[in-house]
Amino acid sequence: TNDNEAGNEWILPNRSFTDSMQEFTQSWQVNKCSLGQKKVKPCLITARQKACKVFFEESHSLLRNCFKVVDPEPFYSMCTQDTCESHELKAACRLAAAFVHLCNRNFVPLEVPPQ
């Protein structure tokens, strides 16, 4: 229902409730959907992916002050996948901005890296 009431967010099609995300998602599955994993295409390391490493992995990252508060691993993973599929740095920049936003919300002041 998306009304910030935890008690009614996991309603199944039969109007019962669940605490399991897997049960919830599978119960709403449409026949056209598949439970299979997305096939990941191999991707050569590019300059765009190096930007992901600079933002989310390296010890001298401008975002490092928040690494213990907001886990950078999911951001790095999404960044490398998104930059593999695109020829632009927009994905890396947007993920860096999202990371900075979460850090600021968790009282770790950061700014989006200038690069």
Side-chain angles (χ1 to χ4, degrees):
T1 59
N2 200 19
D3 61 3
N4 285 331
E5 292 293 329
N8 65 3
E9 296 300 328
W10 297 89
I11 298 175
L12 302 177
N14 65 6
R15 297 207 165 282
S16 66
F17 296 91
T18 183
D19 290 332
S20 164
M21 184 185 332
Q22 184 174 3
E23 180 183 5
F24 176 76
T25 55
Q26 288 179 355
S27 72
W28 287 100
Q29 182 177 345
V30 179
N31 288 340
K32 293 186 250 179
C33 296
S34 141
L35 293 175
Q37 294 291 327
K38 180 180 176 183
K39 292 182 181 178
V40 178
K41 296 181 279 183
C43 180
L44 299 173
I45 294 176
T46 64
R48 294 179 303 280
Q49 289 178 313
K50 288 180 183 171
C52 298
K53 188 173 185 78
V54 168
F55 287 155
F56 302 113
E57 274 200 330
E58 293 187 352
S59 60
H60 65 275
S61 168
L62 296 176
L63 306 176
R64 72 185 174 282
N65 290 343
C66 191
F67 285 179
K68 291 184 179 176
V69 177
V70 176
D71 183 9
E73 166 49 35
F75 289 88
Y76 177 73
S77 178
M78 285 186 284
C79 185
T80 55
Q81 185 175 0
D82 290 351
T83 55
C84 180
E85 296 170 2
S86 171
H87 299 291
E88 300 177 351
L89 268 175
K90 284 183 184 177
C93 293
R94 287 182 179 143
L95 285 163
F99 186 84
V100 166
H101 176 74
L102 284 176
C103 292
N104 289 330
R105 287 191 68 182
N106 283 285
F107 307 104
V108 180
L110 289 178
E111 291 187 22
V112 177
Q115 66 269 39

PDB file of all heavy atoms in Angstrom, residues 73-97:
ATOM      1  N   GLU A  73      30.073  -1.093  -1.284  1.00  0.00           N
ATOM      2  CA  GLU A  73      30.114  -2.253  -2.190  1.00  0.00           C
ATOM      3  C   GLU A  73      28.940  -2.310  -3.159  1.00  0.00           C
ATOM      4  O   GLU A  73      29.143  -2.503  -4.355  1.00  0.00           O
ATOM      5  CB  GLU A  73      30.235  -3.544  -1.383  1.00  0.00           C
ATOM      6  CG  GLU A  73      29.953  -4.835  -2.139  1.00  0.00           C
ATOM      7  CD  GLU A  73      30.675  -4.972  -3.479  1.00  0.00           C
ATOM      8  OE1 GLU A  73      31.820  -4.508  -3.619  1.00  0.00           O
ATOM      9  OE2 GLU A  73      30.067  -5.534  -4.416  1.00  0.00           O
ATOM     10  N   PRO A  74      27.685  -2.136  -2.710  1.00  0.00           N
ATOM     11  CA  PRO A  74      26.581  -2.173  -3.683  1.00  0.00           C
ATOM     12  C   PRO A  74      26.685  -1.053  -4.716  1.00  0.00           C
ATOM     13  O   PRO A  74      26.330  -1.244  -5.875  1.00  0.00           O
ATOM     14  CB  PRO A  74      25.322  -2.006  -2.831  1.00  0.00           C
ATOM     15  CG  PRO A  74      25.726  -2.317  -1.442  1.00  0.00           C
ATOM     16  CD  PRO A  74      27.196  -2.031  -1.337  1.00  0.00           C
ATOM     17  N   PHE A  75      27.176   0.098  -4.304  1.00  0.00           N
ATOM     18  CA  PHE A  75      27.345   1.213  -5.230  1.00  0.00           C
ATOM     19  C   PHE A  75      28.425   0.889  -6.262  1.00  0.00           C
ATOM     20  O   PHE A  75      28.258   1.155  -7.445  1.00  0.00           O
ATOM     21  CB  PHE A  75      27.709   2.499  -4.466  1.00  0.00           C
ATOM     22  CG  PHE A  75      26.565   3.042  -3.666  1.00  0.00           C
ATOM     23  CD1 PHE A  75      26.343   2.614  -2.365  1.00  0.00           C
ATOM     24  CD2 PHE A  75      25.698   3.968  -4.216  1.00  0.00           C
ATOM     25  CE1 PHE A  75      25.285   3.106  -1.632  1.00  0.00           C
ATOM     26  CE2 PHE A  75      24.636   4.474  -3.492  1.00  0.00           C
ATOM     27  CZ  PHE A  75      24.423   4.029  -2.190  1.00  0.00           C
ATOM     28  N   TYR A  76      29.520   0.284  -5.806  1.00  0.00           N
ATOM     29  CA  TYR A  76      30.600  -0.101  -6.723  1.00  0.00           C
ATOM     30  C   TYR A  76      30.100  -1.139  -7.728  1.00  0.00           C
ATOM     31  O   TYR A  76      30.338  -1.035  -8.930  1.00  0.00           O
ATOM     32  CB  TYR A  76      31.802  -0.638  -5.952  1.00  0.00           C
ATOM     33  CG  TYR A  76      32.905  -1.123  -6.858  1.00  0.00           C
ATOM     34  CD1 TYR A  76      33.694  -0.216  -7.561  1.00  0.00           C
ATOM     35  CD2 TYR A  76      33.143  -2.479  -7.039  1.00  0.00           C
ATOM     36  CE1 TYR A  76      34.696  -0.650  -8.418  1.00  0.00           C
ATOM     37  CE2 TYR A  76      34.138  -2.915  -7.881  1.00  0.00           C
ATOM     38  CZ  TYR A  76      34.915  -2.002  -8.569  1.00  0.00           C
ATOM     39  OH  TYR A  76      35.891  -2.438  -9.426  1.00  0.00           O
ATOM     40  N   SER A  77      29.367  -2.114  -7.233  1.00  0.00           N
ATOM     41  CA  SER A  77      28.842  -3.171  -8.096  1.00  0.00           C
ATOM     42  C   SER A  77      27.897  -2.598  -9.162  1.00  0.00           C
ATOM     43  O   SER A  77      28.023  -2.920 -10.354  1.00  0.00           O
ATOM     44  CB  SER A  77      28.116  -4.201  -7.239  1.00  0.00           C
ATOM     45  OG  SER A  77      27.552  -5.204  -8.029  1.00  0.00           O
ATOM     46  N   MET A  78      26.955  -1.751  -8.746  1.00  0.00           N
ATOM     47  CA  MET A  78      26.036  -1.141  -9.704  1.00  0.00           C
ATOM     48  C   MET A  78      26.790  -0.245 -10.678  1.00  0.00           C
ATOM     49  O   MET A  78      26.487  -0.217 -11.867  1.00  0.00           O
ATOM     50  CB  MET A  78      24.971  -0.324  -8.976  1.00  0.00           C
ATOM     51  CG  MET A  78      23.917  -1.155  -8.300  1.00  0.00           C
ATOM     52  SD  MET A  78      22.592  -0.138  -7.593  1.00  0.00           S
ATOM     53  CE  MET A  78      23.398   0.511  -6.135  1.00  0.00           C
ATOM     54  N   CYS A  79      27.768   0.473 -10.170  1.00  0.00           N
ATOM     55  CA  CYS A  79      28.537   1.402 -10.994  1.00  0.00           C
ATOM     56  C   CYS A  79      29.282   0.661 -12.101  1.00  0.00           C
ATOM     57  O   CYS A  79      29.218   1.052 -13.267  1.00  0.00           O
ATOM     58  CB  CYS A  79      29.514   2.165 -10.107  1.00  0.00           C
ATOM     59  SG  CYS A  79      30.438   3.455 -10.955  1.00  0.00           S
ATOM     60  N   THR A  80      29.968  -0.418 -11.750  1.00  0.00           N
ATOM     61  CA  THR A  80      30.725  -1.147 -12.773  1.00  0.00           C
ATOM     62  C   THR A  80      29.791  -1.773 -13.800  1.00  0.00           C
ATOM     63  O   THR A  80      30.097  -1.792 -14.985  1.00  0.00           O
ATOM     64  CB  THR A  80      31.630  -2.227 -12.156  1.00  0.00           C
ATOM     65  OG1 THR A  80      30.844  -3.101 -11.355  1.00  0.00           O
ATOM     66  CG2 THR A  80      32.746  -1.611 -11.339  1.00  0.00           C
ATOM     67  N   GLN A  81      28.651  -2.274 -13.359  1.00  0.00           N
ATOM     68  CA  GLN A  81      27.692  -2.868 -14.295  1.00  0.00           C
ATOM     69  C   GLN A  81      27.088  -1.800 -15.199  1.00  0.00           C
ATOM     70  O   GLN A  81      27.004  -1.976 -16.418  1.00  0.00           O
ATOM     71  CB  GLN A  81      26.588  -3.590 -13.538  1.00  0.00           C
ATOM     72  CG  GLN A  81      25.634  -4.316 -14.451  1.00  0.00           C
ATOM     73  CD  GLN A  81      24.604  -5.125 -13.683  1.00  0.00           C
ATOM     74  OE1 GLN A  81      24.584  -5.155 -12.466  1.00  0.00           O
ATOM     75  NE2 GLN A  81      23.729  -5.773 -14.412  1.00  0.00           N
ATOM     76  N   ASP A  82      26.694  -0.664 -14.620  1.00  0.00           N
ATOM     77  CA  ASP A  82      26.064   0.393 -15.412  1.00  0.00           C
ATOM     78  C   ASP A  82      27.034   1.045 -16.380  1.00  0.00           C
ATOM     79  O   ASP A  82      26.662   1.390 -17.498  1.00  0.00           O
ATOM     80  CB  ASP A  82      25.436   1.450 -14.510  1.00  0.00           C
ATOM     81  CG  ASP A  82      24.206   0.947 -13.770  1.00  0.00           C
ATOM     82  OD1 ASP A  82      23.741  -0.160 -14.096  1.00  0.00           O
ATOM     83  OD2 ASP A  82      23.723   1.657 -12.880  1.00  0.00           O
ATOM     84  N   THR A  83      28.283   1.230 -15.968  1.00  0.00           N
ATOM     85  CA  THR A  83      29.251   1.852 -16.873  1.00  0.00           C
ATOM     86  C   THR A  83      29.685   0.888 -17.965  1.00  0.00           C
ATOM     87  O   THR A  83      30.136   1.315 -19.019  1.00  0.00           O
ATOM     88  CB  THR A  83      30.493   2.377 -16.120  1.00  0.00           C
ATOM     89  OG1 THR A  83      31.069   1.317 -15.369  1.00  0.00           O
ATOM     90  CG2 THR A  83      30.136   3.542 -15.227  1.00  0.00           C
ATOM     91  N   CYS A  84      29.522  -0.395 -17.734  1.00  0.00           N
ATOM     92  CA  CYS A  84      29.827  -1.392 -18.762  1.00  0.00           C
ATOM     93  C   CYS A  84      28.819  -1.284 -19.898  1.00  0.00           C
ATOM     94  O   CYS A  84      29.164  -1.425 -21.058  1.00  0.00           O
ATOM     95  CB  CYS A  84      29.789  -2.786 -18.159  1.00  0.00           C
ATOM     96  SG  CYS A  84      30.158  -4.106 -19.330  1.00  0.00           S
ATOM     97  N   GLU A  85      27.570  -1.008 -19.548  1.00  0.00           N
ATOM     98  CA  GLU A  85      26.503  -0.973 -20.538  1.00  0.00           C
ATOM     99  C   GLU A  85      26.364   0.395 -21.212  1.00  0.00           C
ATOM    100  O   GLU A  85      25.649   0.534 -22.181  1.00  0.00           O
ATOM    101  CB  GLU A  85      25.177  -1.343 -19.861  1.00  0.00           C
ATOM    102  CG  GLU A  85      25.173  -2.766 -19.330  1.00  0.00           C
ATOM    103  CD  GLU A  85      23.977  -3.060 -18.444  1.00  0.00           C
ATOM    104  OE1 GLU A  85      23.117  -2.176 -18.259  1.00  0.00           O
ATOM    105  OE2 GLU A  85      23.914  -4.185 -17.924  1.00  0.00           O
ATOM    106  N   SER A  86      27.039   1.401 -20.689  1.00  0.00           N
ATOM    107  CA  SER A  86      26.898   2.750 -21.207  1.00  0.00           C
ATOM    108  C   SER A  86      28.256   3.293 -21.638  1.00  0.00           C
ATOM    109  O   SER A  86      29.289   2.836 -21.199  1.00  0.00           O
ATOM    110  CB  SER A  86      26.308   3.649 -20.114  1.00  0.00           C
ATOM    111  OG  SER A  86      26.356   4.993 -20.522  1.00  0.00           O
ATOM    112  N   HIS A  87      28.227   4.282 -22.483  1.00  0.00           N
ATOM    113  CA  HIS A  87      29.465   4.901 -22.936  1.00  0.00           C
ATOM    114  C   HIS A  87      29.690   6.246 -22.263  1.00  0.00           C
ATOM    115  O   HIS A  87      30.446   7.064 -22.740  1.00  0.00           O
ATOM    116  CB  HIS A  87      29.438   5.066 -24.458  1.00  0.00           C
ATOM    117  CG  HIS A  87      29.326   3.765 -25.178  1.00  0.00           C
ATOM    118  ND1 HIS A  87      30.348   2.851 -25.199  1.00  0.00           N
ATOM    119  CD2 HIS A  87      28.317   3.211 -25.877  1.00  0.00           C
ATOM    120  CE1 HIS A  87      29.970   1.780 -25.898  1.00  0.00           C
ATOM    121  NE2 HIS A  87      28.741   1.986 -26.312  1.00  0.00           N
ATOM    122  N   GLU A  88      29.011   6.482 -21.140  1.00  0.00           N
ATOM    123  CA  GLU A  88      29.108   7.752 -20.451  1.00  0.00           C
ATOM    124  C   GLU A  88      29.448   7.532 -18.988  1.00  0.00           C
ATOM    125  O   GLU A  88      29.336   6.433 -18.467  1.00  0.00           O
ATOM    126  CB  GLU A  88      27.777   8.507 -20.548  1.00  0.00           C
ATOM    127  CG  GLU A  88      27.341   8.806 -21.963  1.00  0.00           C
ATOM    128  CD  GLU A  88      25.983   9.481 -22.007  1.00  0.00           C
ATOM    129  OE1 GLU A  88      25.307   9.558 -20.969  1.00  0.00           O
ATOM    130  OE2 GLU A  88      25.605   9.932 -23.092  1.00  0.00           O
ATOM    131  N   LEU A  89      29.826   8.585 -18.321  1.00  0.00           N
ATOM    132  CA  LEU A  89      30.120   8.536 -16.889  1.00  0.00           C
ATOM    133  C   LEU A  89      28.907   8.907 -16.039  1.00  0.00           C
ATOM    134  O   LEU A  89      29.009   8.965 -14.829  1.00  0.00           O
ATOM    135  CB  LEU A  89      31.267   9.495 -16.555  1.00  0.00           C
ATOM    136  CG  LEU A  89      32.654   8.890 -16.589  1.00  0.00           C
ATOM    137  CD1 LEU A  89      33.698   9.948 -16.357  1.00  0.00           C
ATOM    138  CD2 LEU A  89      32.796   7.762 -15.605  1.00  0.00           C
ATOM    139  N   LYS A  90      27.763   9.131 -16.675  1.00  0.00           N
ATOM    140  CA  LYS A  90      26.578   9.561 -15.924  1.00  0.00           C
ATOM    141  C   LYS A  90      26.218   8.584 -14.812  1.00  0.00           C
ATOM    142  O   LYS A  90      25.849   8.997 -13.718  1.00  0.00           O
ATOM    143  CB  LYS A  90      25.371   9.727 -16.853  1.00  0.00           C
ATOM    144  CG  LYS A  90      25.412  10.987 -17.679  1.00  0.00           C
ATOM    145  CD  LYS A  90      24.143  11.098 -18.510  1.00  0.00           C
ATOM    146  CE  LYS A  90      24.218  12.315 -19.409  1.00  0.00           C
ATOM    147  NZ  LYS A  90      23.051  12.423 -20.268  1.00  0.00           N
ATOM    148  N   ALA A  91      26.319   7.285 -15.073  1.00  0.00           N
ATOM    149  CA  ALA A  91      25.948   6.291 -14.057  1.00  0.00           C
ATOM    150  C   ALA A  91      26.835   6.431 -12.828  1.00  0.00           C
ATOM    151  O   ALA A  91      26.343   6.430 -11.696  1.00  0.00           O
ATOM    152  CB  ALA A  91      26.045   4.885 -14.621  1.00  0.00           C
ATOM    153  N   ALA A  92      28.132   6.554 -13.029  1.00  0.00           N
ATOM    154  CA  ALA A  92      29.057   6.694 -11.906  1.00  0.00           C
ATOM    155  C   ALA A  92      28.765   7.972 -11.131  1.00  0.00           C
ATOM    156  O   ALA A  92      28.763   7.976  -9.894  1.00  0.00           O
ATOM    157  CB  ALA A  92      30.500   6.676 -12.404  1.00  0.00           C
ATOM    158  N   CYS A  93      28.502   9.047 -11.842  1.00  0.00           N
ATOM    159  CA  CYS A  93      28.212  10.332 -11.187  1.00  0.00           C
ATOM    160  C   CYS A  93      26.909  10.274 -10.402  1.00  0.00           C
ATOM    161  O   CYS A  93      26.825  10.788  -9.283  1.00  0.00           O
ATOM    162  CB  CYS A  93      28.161  11.450 -12.218  1.00  0.00           C
ATOM    163  SG  CYS A  93      29.761  11.776 -12.976  1.00  0.00           S
ATOM    164  N   ARG A  94      25.899   9.652 -10.964  1.00  0.00           N
ATOM    165  CA  ARG A  94      24.610   9.548 -10.263  1.00  0.00           C
ATOM    166  C   ARG A  94      24.728   8.676  -9.020  1.00  0.00           C
ATOM    167  O   ARG A  94      24.141   8.974  -7.980  1.00  0.00           O
ATOM    168  CB  ARG A  94      23.541   8.996 -11.203  1.00  0.00           C
ATOM    169  CG  ARG A  94      23.113  10.004 -12.225  1.00  0.00           C
ATOM    170  CD  ARG A  94      22.013   9.463 -13.112  1.00  0.00           C
ATOM    171  NE  ARG A  94      21.617  10.463 -14.074  1.00  0.00           N
ATOM    172  CZ  ARG A  94      21.276  10.208 -15.314  1.00  0.00           C
ATOM    173  NH1 ARG A  94      21.259   8.964 -15.761  1.00  0.00           N
ATOM    174  NH2 ARG A  94      20.934  11.180 -16.134  1.00  0.00           N
ATOM    175  N   LEU A  95      25.494   7.594  -9.121  1.00  0.00           N
ATOM    176  CA  LEU A  95      25.683   6.728  -7.956  1.00  0.00           C
ATOM    177  C   LEU A  95      26.499   7.440  -6.883  1.00  0.00           C
ATOM    178  O   LEU A  95      26.217   7.291  -5.691  1.00  0.00           O
ATOM    179  CB  LEU A  95      26.329   5.410  -8.367  1.00  0.00           C
ATOM    180  CG  LEU A  95      25.370   4.459  -9.075  1.00  0.00           C
ATOM    181  CD1 LEU A  95      26.123   3.375  -9.807  1.00  0.00           C
ATOM    182  CD2 LEU A  95      24.395   3.864  -8.075  1.00  0.00           C
ATOM    183  N   ALA A  96      27.486   8.212  -7.278  1.00  0.00           N
ATOM    184  CA  ALA A  96      28.261   8.993  -6.309  1.00  0.00           C
ATOM    185  C   ALA A  96      27.348   9.998  -5.609  1.00  0.00           C
ATOM    186  O   ALA A  96      27.420  10.179  -4.389  1.00  0.00           O
ATOM    187  CB  ALA A  96      29.427   9.693  -6.990  1.00  0.00           C
ATOM    188  N   ALA A  97      26.464  10.640  -6.373  1.00  0.00           N
ATOM    189  CA  ALA A  97      25.519  11.601  -5.787  1.00  0.00           C
ATOM    190  C   ALA A  97      24.562  10.904  -4.817  1.00  0.00           C
ATOM    191  O   ALA A  97      24.262  11.439  -3.743  1.00  0.00           O
ATOM    192  CB  ALA A  97      24.747  12.313  -6.894  1.00  0.00           C
TER     193      ALA A  97
END
